[in-house]
Amino acid sequence: MARDRLIYLPLGGAGEIGMNAYVYGYGPEGRERLILVDLGIAFPDMDSTPGVDVIMPDISWLTDKLDRLEAVFVTHAHEDHVGGVGHLSPQLKTPIHCRKFTANLARRKLAEKGQDVSLVKTVGTWPAQVDAGPFKVGFLPVSHSIPESAALVIDTPAGRIIHSGDFKIDRSPVVGEAFDDTLWAEVAKGGVRALICDSTNVFSKHPGRSEAEVKPNLVPLVQQARGMFVATTFASNVARLQSLAKAGEAAGRSICLMGRAMRRMTEAAVEEGILTDFPKTISPEDAANVPRENLMLIVTGSQGERRAASAQLSRGKYFGMELKEGDTFLFSSKTIPGNERDVAIIMNNLSELGVDVVTDEDGLYHVSGHANRPDLEYVHKLVDPQIVIPMHGEHRHLREHAKLADTLGRTGVLAPNGTMVNLAGNKPEVVEHVETGRTYLDGSALVGQFDGVVRDRIRMALNGHAVVAVMVDDDDEVLEDTWVDLRGLPDLPDGAALADQMEEYLARQLARIDTRTAGDDEKLEDLIVKGVRKVAQDEVGKRPEVTVLITRLSAE
């Protein structure tokens, strides 16, 4: 009789930063009962995903097995862990378990999409556990850069798993729970089969720093500034928002929060009793009437998002507010890899306005929410797992973390997205590779990564687009007035219209074809596409996308 399997399968978040989605299963092969940990998003860029609003993991592997899915568990309220709930939960139709702050934000996401908010179940912390088929799952509090983050203690018939979620070792986090060494040791003392662990900062060789170290540095910075003071940080970093607001208050400035995400996070934190003494804030409308030297804005857009408050302020006015020479703009954040160019654009825009830009280059105004290498080593020793599977990181992070585990006497397993690992038995074994991909929110539609929509958009952006209209009479003769319309292609250096050149070339080509070609839409379209691309390539060095409209006339 075959033994039951205990499987781990990342559908997103292993080999990339963002889009976290991890499947665990237990039972006979092909009939395992399943749970999903996190359902996150990533954000697009204009180079690879133009026009896309949000990127999510492709969960089709899971939706094909809905009769085996027991529940979803969300570790914390960062968008790369909970952001997909509003978009994908209708496909899963299963309870979503999370702590109260995360639950508050998850329900808001469902409500915004008109979904059933009762799917979200608020749970307590360890030793409370949720029964989900063969699993018992508990939320183990951790310190991170957002309140009420949790690791998951996942008990199975094949042993205990600890899924770290995002975490750091912070024993004085300002807001939220401190890392509890004693509690972690207690959870681990019965033996841990596998630690599935955050890898984000595995290359950072210095011990992580506490959020409490940032606050004292902010106060003199704000007090010494002249003109308006603006700060941006991650909207979810409630502790940082409070430290910034307190520094502004100490400097005698009115505090204004700008950006929907910023307001939503603070509202949720106040509703759940996490923020109890946040300074009074004023609306953007009232802020317009406050003298510049008495005003502090805390704004969204620390990662260069084009529509966020930071970018809009750098380009001009936002809610009537306008930055001027002598103002100060603080980036109290780390730039996530891949966002450097967008952030640099904002900084240069600000510089052109005469604004003094302050960053975290000296490590004074930001600390990471993820465990650095020495902290990862500490947690490995504290938990003492048989197996370590790195997650939450690019491939190089996962590989380095697996090496670290091996040097510490564990069995490190490199398991990027789509790698199914069986954790039962004497040693972990990769048993299957699952096709994984991405789902795009494009406007209001969900689009598959390989559906061709974004691919065609990129091709049009790179090479332009030509529309060709031809008419064919009932004798399969092409009429002379072929029409070409171009988008995204230049005219010729001498000022002649490229479309005219194409029309002339096509007229010559079409005049020579036989009725068999003219009567076959596929052959006619192929000839026209090749002709348009030949002219474009010869004249301007481009191969445009081509749409051919064939109208067939009838004598009736």
Side-chain angles (χ1 to χ4, degrees), residues 2 54 69 165 170 188 204 211 222 237 242 288 294 450 461 480 509 529:
V54 163
L69 180 63
D170 192 340
S204 298
E211 182 65 33
V222 181
N237 194 338
Q242 175 152 298
N294 295 332
F450 302 109
E480 294 181 4
Q509 293 292 103
V529 169

Side-chain angles (χ1 to χ4, degrees), residues 449-463:
Q449 180 179 359
F450 302 109
D451 288 359
V453 174
V454 174
R455 178 199 62 205
D456 290 346
R457 193 175 292 159
I458 292 170
R459 286 178 175 175
M460 286 189 286
L462 292 173
N463 295 302

Side-chain angles (χ1 to χ4, degrees), residues 211-486:
E211 182 65 33
E213 296 179 40
V214 176
K215 187 176 180 180
N217 299 326
L218 293 172
V219 174
L221 177 67
V222 181
Q223 287 178 335
Q224 293 163 16
R226 57 191 179 92
M228 186 159 55
F229 191 97
V230 185
T232 186
T233 190
F234 299 99
S236 56
N237 194 338
V238 175
R240 187 70 48 76
L241 297 183
Q242 175 152 298
S243 295
L244 288 165
K246 288 282 190 181
E249 183 181 52
R253 293 177 180 262
S254 298
I255 312 300
C256 176
L257 301 178
M258 300 186 80
R260 182 167 168 264
M262 197 77 71
R263 294 192 298 272
R264 185 173 66 239
M265 282 290 175
T266 52
E267 287 169 4
V270 170
E271 286 175 9
E272 301 304 335
I274 293 165
L275 285 178
T276 55
D277 60 345
F278 196 82
K280 180 182 177 182
T281 62
I282 62 174
S283 68
E285 293 77 15
D286 290 338
N289 299 317
V290 175
R292 308 179 69 77
E293 64 275 10
N294 295 332
L295 181 64
M296 179 179 186
L297 309 180
I298 306 177
V299 304
T300 55
S302 66
Q303 299 306 301
E305 302 94 323
R306 283 187 53 80
R307 289 180 289 183
S310 293
Q312 301 215 46
L313 282 168
S314 78
R315 295 195 297 264
K317 290 185 178 180
Y318 184 61
F319 278 95
M321 306 304 301
E322 185 175 7
L323 290 170
K324 297 181 179 179
E325 185 170 355
D327 291 341
T328 301
F329 198 108
L330 168 65
F331 283 82
S332 183
S333 56
K334 174 186 177 181
T335 302
I336 295 172
N339 295 337
E340 294 90 349
R341 185 178 66 178
D342 293 333
V343 173
I345 289 171
I346 292 176
M347 290 182 176
N348 281 308
N349 288 346
L350 294 171
S351 181
E352 289 177 10
L353 294 173
V355 175
D356 295 326
V357 177
V358 182
T359 70
D360 186 51
E361 188 174 348
D362 296 324
L364 298 175
Y365 309 115
H366 177 69
V367 294
S368 175
H370 297 270
N372 290 355
R373 189 184 190 95
D375 306 318
L376 293 173
E377 293 177 357
Y378 174 76
V379 168
H380 286 199
K381 293 173 183 175
L382 183 66
V383 173
D384 193 23
Q386 298 173 32
I387 303 162
V388 173
I389 304 183
M391 53 103 182
H392 201 287
E394 297 172 352
H395 194 279
R396 64 192 180 97
H397 298 97
L398 306 187
R399 188 163 180 264
E400 182 67 18
H401 195 170
K403 288 181 181 179
L404 174 64
D406 289 337
T407 64
L408 295 175
R410 324 291 170 198
T411 300
V413 179
L414 180 61
N417 291 339
T419 307
M420 183 187 292
V421 183
N422 181 15
L423 300 173
N426 294 325
K427 65 178 183 177
E429 179 186 6
V430 175
V431 292
E432 189 177 342
H433 290 279
V434 171
E435 186 73 30
T436 58
R438 301 180 169 203
T439 299
Y440 301 134
L441 177 66
D442 193 46
S444 59
L446 293 179
V447 178
Q449 180 179 359
F450 302 109
D451 288 359
V453 174
V454 174
R455 178 199 62 205
D456 290 346
R457 193 175 292 159
I458 292 170
R459 286 178 175 175
M460 286 189 286
L462 292 173
N463 295 302
H465 184 230
V467 178
V468 182
V470 297
M471 290 188 289
V472 184
D473 66 19
D474 56 351
D475 293 324
D476 289 336
E477 295 285 344
V478 179
L479 302 184
E480 294 181 4
D481 49 352
T482 299
W483 172 79
V484 176
D485 184 58
L486 303 179

Side-chain angles (χ1 to χ4, degrees), residues 31-81:
R31 291 183 288 137
E32 296 92 348
R33 305 304 297 177
L34 308 170
I35 60 172
L36 175 65
V37 174
D38 291 335
L39 190 54
I41 63 173
F43 294 100
D45 62 75
M46 287 301 292
D47 290 335
S48 62
T49 47
V52 169
D53 296 279
V54 163
I55 305 172
M56 293 169 282
D58 179 357
I59 59 169
S60 55
W61 184 90
L62 198 56
T63 54
D64 289 342
K65 303 166 180 61
L66 285 184
D67 59 327
R68 292 159 50 193
L69 180 63
E70 300 283 352
V72 177
F73 295 86
V74 179
T75 57
H76 64 285
H78 274 147
E79 288 295 297
D80 61 331
H81 295 260

